[in-house]
Every structure is written in C-alpha cells, then in structure tokens.
Amino acid sequence: METFIEIEVRPTEIDVMGHVNNAKYLEYMEWGREDWYNKAELPFDRLTEMNIGTVTVNININYRKEARLGEHLTIYTQPVKKGRTSYTLKHVIVNEAGERVADAEVISVTIDLETRKSVPIPAELGVLFST
C-alpha cells in the first residue's frame, strides 16, 4: 500500500543556503509514515492498545535536488520489506515538476512498550508487506 501527502515548504524550514534544511526532510518523511500508519488503520492509539511501539533504527537518505520556499512537495511512502522484528519503509519526495528531491529507506523495529525489547511484527502490520 503506497500513500502520499502533499505539503508546502514554509519559511521556518529554510536554512541559510535558501533551501530546505536537511533535517526537515526527515520530518517530512515522519509525517509520511504517520499518514501511512493511519491509512493502514494502525494509528498510534491502535498500536498502543496492542502494547506495540515502533522505533526507527536506521535511515539512509539521498538528497537529490534542493527544495525552496513555497514549493509544493509530495511525500510518497510504501512498504519495502519485513523481517521478524524489523521492517523497511521507502519514502520518495518529489516537487511540482515531478523531480525527485529526496528518497530514503527507513528501518523500524517493533517493541513491547513495557519491556522496551524488540518483538515480532504484529500480523496487522505484517500483512501490509509483500514478502
């Protein structure tokens, strides 16, 4: 299941170089992941009811093209692969011209909220990945 959100680059996201600060792309991707979980009917509250948390353990990001103030960006999120306790989501950010601005693979681990230890991916999350 691929999802997407659209945003407009705001003044607070621009750095001294006049383009989006590199750290903001991570935030954009986090918004994309939250939207993906919500559309998959696995919002934070639902995962909490299952005593499951998700922890980001690795992000490999490629910055392809600068984005500037006022640009409209689309952040695509899709599942890539799953393991026993970890899974990978891919993000692609494109500008209005359809040019790739950034892309990343984000690896997360599911944890038991009480023990704070990794646990197997719940079936409700696992079914969203093709193996």
Side-chain angles (χ1 to χ4, degrees):
M1 173 184 79
E2 181 179 62
T3 62
F4 69 91
I5 60 171
E6 296 177 341
I7 63 162
E8 181 176 340
V9 176
R10 299 171 295 194
T12 57
E13 299 164 354
I14 303 299
D15 64 19
V16 297
M17 294 297 296
H19 58 218
V20 173
N21 179 274
N22 65 329
K24 290 297 178 179
Y25 290 97
L26 299 174
E27 191 172 351
Y28 297 163
M29 293 174 187
E30 183 177 7
W31 298 343
R33 282 193 303 284
E34 182 179 356
D35 178 70
W36 184 83
Y37 289 119
N38 288 340
K39 288 179 178 163
E41 298 182 8
L42 286 173
F44 177 77
D45 293 350
R46 174 70 184 112
L47 289 170
T48 300
E49 289 170 5
M50 297 165 56
N51 194 41
I52 295 291
T54 62
V55 179
T56 298
V57 296
N58 181 275
I59 297 176
N60 184 14
I61 187 168
N62 300 296
Y63 301 98
R64 308 285 184 185
K65 185 173 182 63
E66 64 183 352
R68 296 181 166 269
L69 179 63
E71 279 192 65
H72 291 90
L73 303 176
T74 304
I75 298 95
Y76 294 93
T77 305
Q78 68 180 31
V80 177
K81 65 182 174 181
K82 68 173 178 163
R84 189 178 73 78
T85 63
S86 66
Y87 58 96
T88 304
L89 296 175
K90 181 177 181 177
H91 297 287
V92 176
I93 301 176
V94 298
N95 62 20
E96 297 167 72
E99 300 167 312
R100 188 175 289 211
V101 172
D103 55 70
E105 287 198 354
V106 178
I107 301 172
S108 297
V109 170
T110 50
I111 65 166
D112 179 295
L113 290 175
E114 292 176 22
T115 66
R116 310 304 272 189
K117 302 289 184 190
S118 63
V119 292
I121 296 169
E124 295 91 335
L125 179 58
V127 298
L128 302 170
F129 292 80
S130 57
T131 52

